Amino acid sequence: DDPYLDDKKGVLGRIGLLGADYWTWIHQPFEGTIRLFDSDFLESLTRTSWWVVPLVWMPFVVLFTLAGLYDLHGKYGLVTSAGIWAFLFAGGVLMWTLVEYLLHRFVFHWHPNTESKTQIVLHFLIHGLHHKTPMDGDRLVFPPVPALLIILVFASIYISILPWAVFCCFGAGKLCGYILYDCTHYYLHHGSPRPQTNMHYKKVYHHNHHFKDYDVAFGISTQIWDHVFETVGLGPL
């Protein structure tokens, strides 16, 4: 009897009408999908297959890695430059896991003012839709166009404060961390890892975030930061 689920029209124009019921509504998961826009074209822009993420962004990881290694090789030689690259690349991956945790906890799980229709719609687009329809396979990864805008902002900051080679190696690692995050997130929802494996633990850990306690277990790529900031969730029982 929920018109937001049964209606074939886009919900974005009406989602703000939920008001104080919004927060409860998004945490009552629905197994299907929800149409956002009346326009078929706009609706198609909200759907992204998981393989698009590595297809679009992995070439940039390779490109920045080669650029960084080329610059380092001219100064330090092959062995030393490879070691520097590995250190900076790993630092970039680790930095992404922290950014991922902070975004998930403080941006995605920001509580909108339920008296503001604009804030409700914004939160719904950022993360509310995912909690309402956690098994919608076409809305589990970030579309490339908005991702590009965010990447350009971070890249402009890093370029202004880091030497070119450092930026290339560190940026390649951080971008690779993002790719691993999005692909892992998709797998945790739709993959079937063997019981008692690390990936099975992550799957249960993340599903408990959706279906038991959404105020903990914000780490997806790793649970390190949940331990650091004391937001550890439930794993397999």
Short mmCIF file of all heavy atoms in Angstrom, two decimals, residues 21-60:
data_model
loop_
_atom_site.label_atom_id
_atom_site.label_comp_id
_atom_site.label_asym_id
_atom_site.label_seq_id
_atom_site.Cartn_x
_atom_site.Cartn_y
_atom_site.Cartn_z
N ASP A 21 8.43 11.11 8.70
CA ASP A 21 8.42 9.66 8.48
C ASP A 21 9.58 9.20 7.60
O ASP A 21 9.79 7.99 7.44
CB ASP A 21 7.11 9.25 7.79
CG ASP A 21 5.90 9.48 8.69
OD1 ASP A 21 6.06 9.35 9.92
OD2 ASP A 21 4.82 9.78 8.16
N TYR A 22 10.34 10.15 7.05
CA TYR A 22 11.37 9.79 6.07
C TYR A 22 12.40 8.84 6.64
O TYR A 22 12.73 7.81 6.04
CB TYR A 22 12.06 11.06 5.56
CG TYR A 22 13.31 10.78 4.75
CD1 TYR A 22 13.21 10.28 3.45
CD2 TYR A 22 14.58 11.00 5.28
CE1 TYR A 22 14.36 10.02 2.71
CE2 TYR A 22 15.72 10.73 4.56
CZ TYR A 22 15.61 10.24 3.26
OH TYR A 22 16.75 9.97 2.54
N TRP A 23 12.97 9.15 7.80
CA TRP A 23 14.09 8.36 8.35
C TRP A 23 13.66 6.92 8.63
O TRP A 23 14.42 5.99 8.36
CB TRP A 23 14.62 9.02 9.62
CG TRP A 23 16.00 8.56 10.00
CD1 TRP A 23 16.34 7.77 11.06
CD2 TRP A 23 17.21 8.86 9.32
NE1 TRP A 23 17.68 7.56 11.09
CE2 TRP A 23 18.26 8.21 10.02
CE3 TRP A 23 17.53 9.60 8.18
CZ2 TRP A 23 19.59 8.28 9.63
CZ3 TRP A 23 18.86 9.68 7.79
CH2 TRP A 23 19.87 9.03 8.51
N THR A 24 12.45 6.74 9.15
CA THR A 24 11.95 5.39 9.38
C THR A 24 11.69 4.67 8.06
O THR A 24 12.00 3.49 7.90
CB THR A 24 10.65 5.44 10.20
OG1 THR A 24 10.91 6.06 11.46
CG2 THR A 24 10.11 4.03 10.44
N TRP A 25 11.15 5.40 7.09
CA TRP A 25 10.78 4.81 5.81
C TRP A 25 11.99 4.24 5.07
O TRP A 25 11.94 3.14 4.54
CB TRP A 25 10.08 5.86 4.96
CG TRP A 25 9.59 5.36 3.63
CD1 TRP A 25 8.45 4.63 3.39
CD2 TRP A 25 10.21 5.57 2.36
NE1 TRP A 25 8.33 4.38 2.03
CE2 TRP A 25 9.40 4.94 1.38
CE3 TRP A 25 11.37 6.23 1.95
CZ2 TRP A 25 9.72 4.96 0.02
CZ3 TRP A 25 11.68 6.25 0.60
CH2 TRP A 25 10.87 5.62 -0.34
N ILE A 26 13.10 4.98 5.02
CA ILE A 26 14.27 4.50 4.26
C ILE A 26 14.93 3.30 4.94
O ILE A 26 15.66 2.55 4.29
CB ILE A 26 15.31 5.61 4.02
CG1 ILE A 26 15.89 6.12 5.34
CG2 ILE A 26 14.74 6.71 3.16
CD1 ILE A 26 17.09 7.01 5.17
N HIS A 27 14.67 3.12 6.23
CA HIS A 27 15.28 1.98 6.93
C HIS A 27 14.30 0.80 7.07
O HIS A 27 14.47 -0.04 7.94
CB HIS A 27 15.82 2.42 8.29
CG HIS A 27 17.03 3.31 8.16
ND1 HIS A 27 16.99 4.65 8.44
CD2 HIS A 27 18.29 3.05 7.72
CE1 HIS A 27 18.18 5.18 8.22
NE2 HIS A 27 18.98 4.23 7.78
N GLN A 28 13.31 0.79 6.19
CA GLN A 28 12.45 -0.37 6.01
C GLN A 28 12.72 -0.89 4.59
O GLN A 28 12.06 -0.50 3.65
CB GLN A 28 10.98 0.01 6.19
CG GLN A 28 10.64 0.47 7.58
CD GLN A 28 9.24 1.06 7.68
OE1 GLN A 28 8.66 1.50 6.69
NE2 GLN A 28 8.68 1.06 8.89
N PRO A 29 13.75 -1.74 4.42
CA PRO A 29 14.25 -2.08 3.08
C PRO A 29 13.20 -2.72 2.18
O PRO A 29 12.36 -3.50 2.62
CB PRO A 29 15.39 -3.07 3.38
CG PRO A 29 15.79 -2.77 4.79
CD PRO A 29 14.53 -2.37 5.49
N PHE A 30 13.30 -2.34 0.90
CA PHE A 30 12.45 -2.87 -0.15
C PHE A 30 13.34 -3.61 -1.14
O PHE A 30 14.36 -3.08 -1.57
CB PHE A 30 11.71 -1.72 -0.82
CG PHE A 30 10.93 -2.10 -2.05
CD1 PHE A 30 9.91 -3.04 -1.97
CD2 PHE A 30 11.21 -1.53 -3.28
CE1 PHE A 30 9.18 -3.39 -3.10
CE2 PHE A 30 10.49 -1.87 -4.41
CZ PHE A 30 9.47 -2.80 -4.33
N GLU A 31 12.95 -4.82 -1.53
CA GLU A 31 13.84 -5.67 -2.33
C GLU A 31 13.94 -5.22 -3.78
O GLU A 31 14.91 -5.54 -4.47
CB GLU A 31 13.36 -7.13 -2.28
CG GLU A 31 14.36 -8.10 -2.88
CD GLU A 31 13.93 -9.54 -2.70
OE1 GLU A 31 12.88 -9.78 -2.05
OE2 GLU A 31 14.63 -10.43 -3.19
N GLY A 32 12.97 -4.49 -4.28
CA GLY A 32 12.96 -4.11 -5.69
C GLY A 32 13.71 -2.83 -5.97
O GLY A 32 14.73 -2.52 -5.35
N THR A 33 13.21 -2.07 -6.93
CA THR A 33 13.82 -0.79 -7.32
C THR A 33 12.76 0.30 -7.27
O THR A 33 11.56 0.02 -7.28
CB THR A 33 14.43 -0.89 -8.74
OG1 THR A 33 15.13 0.32 -9.03
CG2 THR A 33 13.35 -1.11 -9.79
N ILE A 34 13.21 1.53 -7.21
CA ILE A 34 12.31 2.68 -7.17
C ILE A 34 12.67 3.61 -8.32
O ILE A 34 13.84 3.91 -8.54
CB ILE A 34 12.44 3.44 -5.83
CG1 ILE A 34 11.99 2.56 -4.66
CG2 ILE A 34 11.61 4.72 -5.86
CD1 ILE A 34 12.17 3.20 -3.31
N ARG A 35 11.66 4.04 -9.04
CA ARG A 35 11.89 4.97 -10.14
C ARG A 35 12.07 6.38 -9.58
O ARG A 35 11.26 6.84 -8.77
CB ARG A 35 10.72 4.94 -11.12
CG ARG A 35 10.94 5.78 -12.38
CD ARG A 35 9.75 5.68 -13.32
NE ARG A 35 9.98 6.47 -14.52
CZ ARG A 35 10.51 5.98 -15.64
NH1 ARG A 35 10.86 4.70 -15.69
NH2 ARG A 35 10.70 6.75 -16.69
N LEU A 36 13.13 7.07 -10.00
CA LEU A 36 13.40 8.40 -9.50
C LEU A 36 12.78 9.49 -10.36
O LEU A 36 12.22 10.46 -9.85
CB LEU A 36 14.92 8.63 -9.40
CG LEU A 36 15.69 7.73 -8.44
CD1 LEU A 36 17.16 8.10 -8.45
CD2 LEU A 36 15.13 7.83 -7.03
N PHE A 37 12.90 9.35 -11.69
CA PHE A 37 12.45 10.40 -12.60
C PHE A 37 11.33 9.89 -13.52
O PHE A 37 11.30 8.71 -13.88
CB PHE A 37 13.62 10.89 -13.47
CG PHE A 37 14.71 11.58 -12.70
CD1 PHE A 37 15.86 10.88 -12.33
CD2 PHE A 37 14.60 12.91 -12.37
CE1 PHE A 37 16.87 11.52 -11.63
CE2 PHE A 37 15.60 13.56 -11.67
CZ PHE A 37 16.74 12.86 -11.30
N ASP A 38 10.47 10.79 -13.94
CA ASP A 38 9.47 10.45 -14.95
C ASP A 38 10.13 10.24 -16.31
O ASP A 38 9.71 9.41 -17.10
CB ASP A 38 8.42 11.56 -15.05
CG ASP A 38 7.57 11.66 -13.79
OD1 ASP A 38 7.40 10.64 -13.11
OD2 ASP A 38 7.09 12.77 -13.49
N SER A 39 11.18 11.02 -16.57
CA SER A 39 11.89 10.95 -17.84
C SER A 39 12.72 9.66 -17.93
O SER A 39 13.52 9.36 -17.04
CB SER A 39 12.82 12.16 -18.00
OG SER A 39 13.76 11.96 -19.03
N ASP A 40 12.54 8.89 -19.01
CA ASP A 40 13.33 7.68 -19.20
C ASP A 40 14.81 8.00 -19.34
O ASP A 40 15.67 7.25 -18.87
CB ASP A 40 12.85 6.92 -20.44
CG ASP A 40 11.48 6.30 -20.26
OD1 ASP A 40 11.09 6.08 -19.09
OD2 ASP A 40 10.80 6.02 -21.27
N PHE A 41 15.13 9.14 -19.99
CA PHE A 41 16.54 9.51 -20.18
C PHE A 41 17.20 9.81 -18.84
O PHE A 41 18.28 9.29 -18.53
CB PHE A 41 16.65 10.72 -21.11
CG PHE A 41 18.05 11.25 -21.22
CD1 PHE A 41 19.03 10.55 -21.91
CD2 PHE A 41 18.39 12.47 -20.63
CE1 PHE A 41 20.32 11.04 -22.00
CE2 PHE A 41 19.67 12.97 -20.72
CZ PHE A 41 20.65 12.25 -21.40
N LEU A 42 16.57 10.67 -18.03
CA LEU A 42 17.14 10.99 -16.72
C LEU A 42 17.24 9.75 -15.84
O LEU A 42 18.21 9.58 -15.11
CB LEU A 42 16.30 12.07 -16.04
CG LEU A 42 16.33 13.46 -16.67
CD1 LEU A 42 15.40 14.40 -15.92
CD2 LEU A 42 17.75 14.02 -16.69
N GLU A 43 16.22 8.91 -15.92
CA GLU A 43 16.23 7.68 -15.13
C GLU A 43 17.42 6.80 -15.51
O GLU A 43 18.07 6.20 -14.66
CB GLU A 43 14.92 6.92 -15.32
CG GLU A 43 14.79 5.65 -14.51
CD GLU A 43 14.62 5.89 -13.02
OE1 GLU A 43 14.48 7.07 -12.61
OE2 GLU A 43 14.65 4.91 -12.25
N SER A 44 17.73 6.74 -16.81
CA SER A 44 18.85 5.90 -17.26
C SER A 44 20.19 6.40 -16.73
O SER A 44 21.11 5.62 -16.52
CB SER A 44 18.89 5.87 -18.80
OG SER A 44 19.24 7.13 -19.34
N LEU A 45 20.30 7.72 -16.48
CA LEU A 45 21.55 8.29 -15.97
C LEU A 45 21.79 7.90 -14.51
O LEU A 45 22.91 8.07 -14.03
CB LEU A 45 21.52 9.81 -16.11
CG LEU A 45 21.46 10.37 -17.54
CD1 LEU A 45 21.44 11.89 -17.50
CD2 LEU A 45 22.63 9.87 -18.37
N THR A 46 20.77 7.44 -13.82
CA THR A 46 20.93 7.07 -12.41
C THR A 46 21.36 5.61 -12.24
O THR A 46 21.54 5.16 -11.12
CB THR A 46 19.61 7.29 -11.63
OG1 THR A 46 18.64 6.32 -12.05
CG2 THR A 46 19.07 8.69 -11.87
N ARG A 47 21.49 4.89 -13.35
CA ARG A 47 21.80 3.46 -13.27
C ARG A 47 23.18 3.19 -13.86
O ARG A 47 23.48 3.62 -14.98
CB ARG A 47 20.73 2.65 -14.00
CG ARG A 47 19.35 2.85 -13.41
CD ARG A 47 18.30 1.95 -14.03
NE ARG A 47 17.02 2.12 -13.36
CZ ARG A 47 16.69 1.54 -12.21
NH1 ARG A 47 17.56 0.74 -11.60
NH2 ARG A 47 15.51 1.75 -11.66
N THR A 48 24.01 2.47 -13.09
CA THR A 48 25.38 2.20 -13.50
C THR A 48 25.74 0.76 -13.18
O THR A 48 25.62 0.34 -12.03
CB THR A 48 26.37 3.13 -12.77
OG1 THR A 48 25.96 4.49 -12.94
CG2 THR A 48 27.78 2.96 -13.32
N SER A 49 26.16 0.00 -14.17
CA SER A 49 26.62 -1.36 -13.94
C SER A 49 27.98 -1.34 -13.22
O SER A 49 28.78 -0.43 -13.45
CB SER A 49 26.76 -2.11 -15.27
OG SER A 49 25.51 -2.20 -15.92
N TRP A 50 28.24 -2.33 -12.38
CA TRP A 50 29.45 -2.33 -11.55
C TRP A 50 30.73 -2.29 -12.38
O TRP A 50 31.72 -1.66 -11.99
CB TRP A 50 29.47 -3.56 -10.63
CG TRP A 50 29.74 -4.85 -11.36
CD1 TRP A 50 28.83 -5.71 -11.88
CD2 TRP A 50 31.03 -5.41 -11.66
NE1 TRP A 50 29.44 -6.77 -12.49
CE2 TRP A 50 30.80 -6.61 -12.37
CE3 TRP A 50 32.34 -5.02 -11.41
CZ2 TRP A 50 31.84 -7.40 -12.83
CZ3 TRP A 50 33.38 -5.81 -11.86
CH2 TRP A 50 33.14 -7.00 -12.56
N TRP A 51 30.73 -2.95 -13.56
CA TRP A 51 31.94 -3.05 -14.36
C TRP A 51 32.33 -1.72 -15.00
O TRP A 51 33.46 -1.56 -15.49
CB TRP A 51 31.79 -4.12 -15.44
CG TRP A 51 30.54 -4.03 -16.26
CD1 TRP A 51 29.37 -4.71 -16.05
CD2 TRP A 51 30.32 -3.19 -17.40
NE1 TRP A 51 28.44 -4.36 -17.00
CE2 TRP A 51 28.99 -3.44 -17.84
CE3 TRP A 51 31.11 -2.28 -18.10
CZ2 TRP A 51 28.44 -2.77 -18.94
CZ3 TRP A 51 30.56 -1.62 -19.19
CH2 TRP A 51 29.25 -1.87 -19.60
N VAL A 52 31.42 -0.75 -15.01
CA VAL A 52 31.74 0.55 -15.57
C VAL A 52 32.84 1.24 -14.75
O VAL A 52 33.70 1.94 -15.30
CB VAL A 52 30.48 1.43 -15.63
CG1 VAL A 52 30.82 2.88 -16.00
CG2 VAL A 52 29.48 0.86 -16.63
N VAL A 53 32.83 1.03 -13.44
CA VAL A 53 33.79 1.70 -12.56
C VAL A 53 35.23 1.31 -12.90
O VAL A 53 36.07 2.18 -13.17
CB VAL A 53 33.46 1.43 -11.08
CG1 VAL A 53 34.56 1.96 -10.17
CG2 VAL A 53 32.12 2.06 -10.72
N PRO A 54 35.61 0.01 -12.90
CA PRO A 54 36.99 -0.32 -13.29
C PRO A 54 37.28 0.01 -14.76
O PRO A 54 38.41 0.39 -15.09
CB PRO A 54 37.09 -1.83 -13.02
CG PRO A 54 35.69 -2.32 -12.99
CD PRO A 54 34.87 -1.20 -12.46
N LEU A 55 36.28 -0.12 -15.63
CA LEU A 55 36.49 0.17 -17.05
C LEU A 55 36.87 1.64 -17.26
O LEU A 55 37.76 1.95 -18.07
CB LEU A 55 35.23 -0.17 -17.84
CG LEU A 55 35.31 0.06 -19.37
CD1 LEU A 55 36.27 -0.94 -19.99
CD2 LEU A 55 33.92 -0.06 -20.00
N VAL A 56 36.22 2.54 -16.55
CA VAL A 56 36.47 3.97 -16.73
C VAL A 56 37.72 4.43 -15.99
O VAL A 56 38.55 5.18 -16.54
CB VAL A 56 35.24 4.79 -16.24
CG1 VAL A 56 35.57 6.28 -16.19
CG2 VAL A 56 34.06 4.55 -17.16
N TRP A 57 37.91 3.95 -14.74
CA TRP A 57 38.94 4.55 -13.89
C TRP A 57 40.26 3.79 -13.84
O TRP A 57 41.29 4.40 -13.55
CB TRP A 57 38.39 4.73 -12.47
CG TRP A 57 37.21 5.64 -12.42
CD1 TRP A 57 35.95 5.33 -12.05
CD2 TRP A 57 37.19 7.03 -12.78
NE1 TRP A 57 35.12 6.42 -12.14
CE2 TRP A 57 35.85 7.48 -12.59
CE3 TRP A 57 38.16 7.93 -13.23
CZ2 TRP A 57 35.48 8.80 -12.84
CZ3 TRP A 57 37.78 9.24 -13.49
CH2 TRP A 57 36.46 9.67 -13.30
N MET A 58 40.27 2.49 -14.12
CA MET A 58 41.53 1.76 -14.04
C MET A 58 42.58 2.26 -15.04
O MET A 58 43.78 2.31 -14.71
CB MET A 58 41.29 0.26 -14.22
CG MET A 58 42.53 -0.59 -13.91
SD MET A 58 43.21 -0.29 -12.24
CE MET A 58 41.98 -1.12 -11.22
N PRO A 59 42.19 2.67 -16.27
CA PRO A 59 43.21 3.26 -17.15
C PRO A 59 43.91 4.47 -16.56
O PRO A 59 45.11 4.69 -16.80
CB PRO A 59 42.40 3.64 -18.41
CG PRO A 59 41.26 2.67 -18.41
CD PRO A 59 40.91 2.49 -16.96
N PHE A 60 43.20 5.26 -15.75
CA PHE A 60 43.83 6.42 -15.11
C PHE A 60 44.81 5.98 -14.03
O PHE A 60 45.85 6.62 -13.83
CB PHE A 60 42.75 7.33 -14.52
CG PHE A 60 41.96 8.09 -15.54
CD1 PHE A 60 40.76 7.59 -16.02
CD2 PHE A 60 42.42 9.30 -16.04
CE1 PHE A 60 40.03 8.28 -16.97
CE2 PHE A 60 41.70 10.01 -16.98
CZ PHE A 60 40.50 9.49 -17.46
#
